[in-house]
Amino acid sequence: MVGNKGARTSARLVESMLELVQARGYSGTGLNTVVEHAGAPKGSLYFHFPEGKEALGEKAVELAADRFRSLLADATLEPGSAGEVIRRVVAVLAGMLSGSGYTLGCPVSVVTLEMGAQSERLRAACASAFDSWITPVAEFLAARGHGPAEARALATAVVSTVEGAMIVSRAQRSDEPLRCAADALAVLLDGRRSGEATP
């Protein structure tokens, strides 16, 4: 039971770190605030994360990566072209952004922009997160007939475009950049514009 309680406390700390990084950024998130937000006992943070904030940030990035991978997996379960799958993913992301009043961004891009040049540990965690999204997209595209190199290049373009569009949408407080990105990616992947009939 003690182990289960400890695991729950650790999970709450990671969840709180993730939520706070999304809202305040990595640098703007203090460890005391994380503990308070998690409702965790004082001293629990260094018990579970003796290496401190970077270790907790690394776990938060991993959690964000897991959640986006799940979103990608769910989107590929329904039938449709590659462009339609990307549209479904982007629609979910746009809903999350607008639902938060455009205050919550992708925590992986937030940490990359803030800490990528300062912390090799966090840079590597973010690089791994992005790769964990690119790889399944590449596998999906390869299964749709693209060669391995082309699938990887297209998947990299997809993830990079969506990440950039999320940043611009957040800045403009509008989902239009995301919708434009989805339209462009549908053309790239399917070779047709929205509303055009499938050959």
Side-chain angles (χ1 to χ4, degrees):
M1 292 297 291
V2 174
N4 289 338
K5 183 178 179 181
R8 288 194 298 270
T9 299
S10 177
R12 287 204 313 274
L13 289 166
V14 174
E15 178 71 42
S16 290
M17 182 67 174
L18 176 57
E19 291 180 13
L20 290 167
V21 165
Q22 281 184 288
R24 303 182 181 188
Y26 180 86
S27 299
T29 298
L31 294 181
N32 289 336
T33 306
V34 174
V35 172
E36 182 180 346
H37 186 275
K42 289 185 177 180
S44 61
L45 192 144
Y46 283 103
F47 176 79
H48 293 288
F49 300 97
E51 294 176 293
K53 187 176 179 179
E54 282 193 358
L56 184 58
E58 182 180 41
K59 289 298 181 184
V61 166
E62 290 173 3
L63 178 59
D66 288 344
R67 289 183 174 171
F68 189 65
R69 272 199 310 276
S70 294
L71 171 60
L72 288 172
D74 290 345
T76 61
L77 293 177
E78 298 179 35
S81 68
E84 289 166 342
V85 168
I86 295 304
R87 286 185 191 281
R88 286 198 288 268
V89 172
V90 170
V92 172
L93 296 175
M96 291 168 58
L97 268 182
S98 61
S100 74
Y102 298 95
T103 62
L104 301 181
C106 172
V108 180
S109 63
V110 170
V111 174
T112 300
L113 293 170
E114 285 191 38
M115 301 301 297
Q118 300 179 45
S119 167
E120 175 59 22
R121 180 174 188 167
L122 291 174
R123 184 210 61 77
C126 292
S128 179
F130 287 128
D131 187 68
S132 77
W133 303 339
I134 292 169
T135 296
V137 173
E139 291 170 351
F140 170 76
L141 294 173
R144 296 296 181 98
H146 294 279
E150 181 186 32
R152 179 76 185 185
L154 285 171
T156 301
V158 166
V159 172
S160 300
T161 300
V162 172
E163 281 294 308
M166 287 187 69
I167 293 172
V168 179
S169 284
R170 193 178 180 191
Q172 294 184 351
R173 300 180 70 82
S174 166
D175 66 358
E176 184 178 4
L178 273 169
R179 288 189 285 105
C180 291
D183 288 342
L185 289 172
V187 174
L188 176 67
L189 298 174
D190 296 345
R192 65 180 189 280
R193 296 187 182 279
S194 176
E196 291 183 2
T198 305

